[in-house]
């Protein structure tokens, strides 16, 4: 059999990607992927549409979600939840809380931008998002289109990133809450792009992973568009040491992260076996 590849980390218009769930699945098919997991921020709203399209196209699909957890600056901790039940009441109330956290934060960003002389309104941002999950990439896209910056990246560096003048934090779950919520929704929690934790050394990274393990962590993302060979090695080592599932994905966002191609994580393709192991582990929970 020829080798088969998957993508277990990508975003659609249900959060801050620029392709609809259907379009992401179609692109996965054109990219010769045999399975996909959609991992929109704070919502599972794209899953039904993506699952229906995947079924039609004959590729496998697993619902997923990506949640930001509390973590000391300048790091960020994102937890992926795979195989969550879209009908779970825990999940529904969780996503409501997370979206409310965004709705509290976003007007503050816009007010600050206006104060800085940028012509932008909350209404424009909501139109850009076109859905419930409104994020900084939507704001960045408007800043880019209006010519305030020459790229999405520059919009973050100049205005929106941690440490930039229009940065405001949103309320987050603690790691414990995030992992519990995913487990209680029938899903498996996986630590995303560990490089973004910005740990100072391997000992500190090990402690973070060990603490998450005690809270129910099931896997670690090995391949990701931010992961260089050093971080792939670190994450593979942690997966072996703590018997964690290995996952990987591009973190595709369409034109909101134009340099990222679906199915490719910094030159790496994600093996089908990793998806199969995730599916098996999810099935064992049922
Ligand atoms: P939010 O969920 O609204 O806080 O925005 C998070 C999104 O912004 C994620 O997709 C991140 O990958 C993206 N993001 C965060 N920091 C940067 C950055 N410095 N450059 C580009 N995208 C970023
Ligand atoms: Zn995103
Ligand atoms: Fe992330
Ligand atoms: Fe992501």
């Amino acid at each position: 059999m020829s080798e088969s590849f998957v993508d277990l980390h990508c975003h659609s218009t249900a959060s801050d990607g620029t392709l609809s769930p259907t379009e992401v699945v179609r692109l996965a098919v054109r990219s010769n992927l045999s399975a996909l997991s959609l991992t929109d921020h704070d919502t599972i709203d794209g899953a039904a549409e993506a699952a229906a399209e995947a079924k039609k196209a004959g590729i496998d699909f697993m619902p997923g979600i990506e949640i930001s957890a509390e973590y000391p600056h300048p790091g960020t901790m994102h937890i992926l939840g795979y195989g969550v039940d879209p009908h779970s009441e825990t999940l529904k109330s969780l996503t409501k809380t997370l979206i409310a956290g965004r709705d509290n934060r976003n007007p503050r960003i816009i007010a600050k931008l206006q104060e800085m002389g940028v012509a932008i309104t909350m209404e424009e941002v909501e139109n850009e998002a076109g859905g419930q999950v409104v994020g900084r990439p939507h704001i960045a896209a408007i800043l880019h289109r209006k010519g305030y910056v020459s790229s999405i990246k520059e919009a973050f560096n100049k205005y929106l990133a941690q440490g930039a003048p229009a940065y405001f934090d949103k309320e987050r779950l603690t790691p414990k809450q995030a992992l519990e919520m995913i487990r209680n929704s029938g899903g498996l929690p996986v630590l995303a792009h560990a490089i973004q934790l910005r740990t100072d050394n391997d000992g500190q990274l090990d402690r973070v992973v060990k603490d998450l393990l005690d809270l129910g962590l099931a896997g670690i993302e090995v391949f990701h568009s931010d992961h260089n060979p050093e971080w792939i090695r670190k994450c593979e080592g942690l997966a072996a040491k703590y018997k964690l599932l290995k996952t990987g994905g591009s973190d595709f966002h369409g034109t909101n992260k134009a340099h990222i191609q679906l199915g490719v994580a910094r030159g790496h393709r994600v093996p089908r076996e990793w998806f199969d192991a995730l599916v098996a582990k999810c099935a064992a929970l049922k």
Side-chain angles (χ1 to χ4, degrees):
M1 220 185 86
S2 66
E3 274 186 295
S4 175
F5 297 103
V6 304
D7 195 328
L8 304 178
H9 188 161
C10 60
H11 299 264
S12 75
T13 48
S15 66
D16 56 7
T18 56
L19 297 190
S20 70
T22 297
E23 289 167 331
V24 176
V25 172
R26 289 186 181 158
L27 180 59
V29 173
R30 288 202 301 280
S31 312
N32 288 317
L33 302 180
S34 68
L36 185 78
S37 181
L38 191 62
T39 52
D40 276 308
H41 303 279
D42 301 351
T43 185
I44 197 83
D45 277 1
E49 184 187 317
E53 184 62 26
K55 195 168 177 198
K56 238 198 284 179
I59 68 168
D60 291 311
F61 178 77
M62 174 179 271
I65 192 165
E66 184 174 20
I67 293 171
S68 313
E70 275 177 19
Y71 190 77
H73 290 202
T76 51
M77 179 187 280
H78 290 181
I79 306 290
L80 295 158
Y82 288 108
V84 285
D85 170 12
H87 304 295
S88 146
E89 287 305 320
T90 309
L91 188 70
K92 280 184 202 161
S93 85
L94 164 67
T95 55
K96 233 191 233 164
T97 308
L98 296 172
I99 289 166
R102 290 177 176 276
D103 292 345
N104 274 331
R105 175 200 64 174
N106 292 329
R108 298 164 70 196
I109 299 179
I110 299 311
K112 180 69 189 184
L113 288 172
Q114 288 168 345
E115 201 186 294
M116 292 172 78
V118 174
I120 188 169
T121 65
M122 232 1 259
E123 199 188 344
E124 285 174 301
V125 176
E126 278 159 10
N127 286 338
E128 179 70 28
Q132 284 189 302
V133 177
V134 184
R136 286 178 290 161
H138 299 122
I139 300 169
I142 294 171
L143 295 175
H144 181 220
R145 194 178 320 119
K146 290 192 168 178
Y148 288 103
V149 289
S150 59
S151 67
I152 303 275
K153 190 88 211 150
E154 192 192 340
F156 273 89
N157 291 341
K158 197 167 163 192
Y159 297 104
L160 303 169
Q162 273 187 33
Y167 176 79
F168 292 90
D169 207 357
K170 57 184 187 287
E171 288 160 54
R172 294 161 198 266
L173 301 182
T174 63
K176 181 171 192 285
Q177 288 172 320
L179 270 75
E180 268 172 10
M181 294 285 200
I182 291 168
R183 286 280 184 184
N184 292 340
S185 313
L188 291 170
V190 169
L191 176 63
H193 44 61
I195 190 173
Q196 291 184 17
L197 295 167
R198 302 231 221 157
T199 42
D200 293 325
N201 53 58
D202 288 352
Q204 195 189 352
L205 173 65
D206 192 283
R207 273 193 301 281
V208 173
V209 172
K210 176 72 177 56
D211 288 347
L212 291 175
L213 190 72
D214 293 342
L215 299 171
L217 190 73
I220 186 163
E221 192 169 53
V222 173
F223 291 149
H224 180 272
S225 294
D226 287 352
H227 278 185
N228 55 23
E230 183 192 349
W231 276 89
I232 291 170
R233 206 168 47 242
K234 283 184 205 285
C235 293
E236 280 199 307
L238 289 161
K241 178 172 178 187
Y242 293 118
K243 298 194 169 28
L244 293 165
L245 290 163
K246 294 194 278 187
T247 73
S250 60
D251 212 352
F252 175 79
H253 280 70
T255 56
N256 280 345
K257 283 192 185 171
H259 61 291
I260 293 176
Q261 195 187 329
L262 190 71
V264 184
R266 224 191 234 229
H268 292 275
R269 309 262 273 155
V270 181
R272 167 80 199 197
E273 292 72 37
W274 293 5
F275 176 78
D276 291 336
L278 196 56
V279 170
K281 186 94 179 203
C282 278
L285 292 178
K286 305 274 150 54

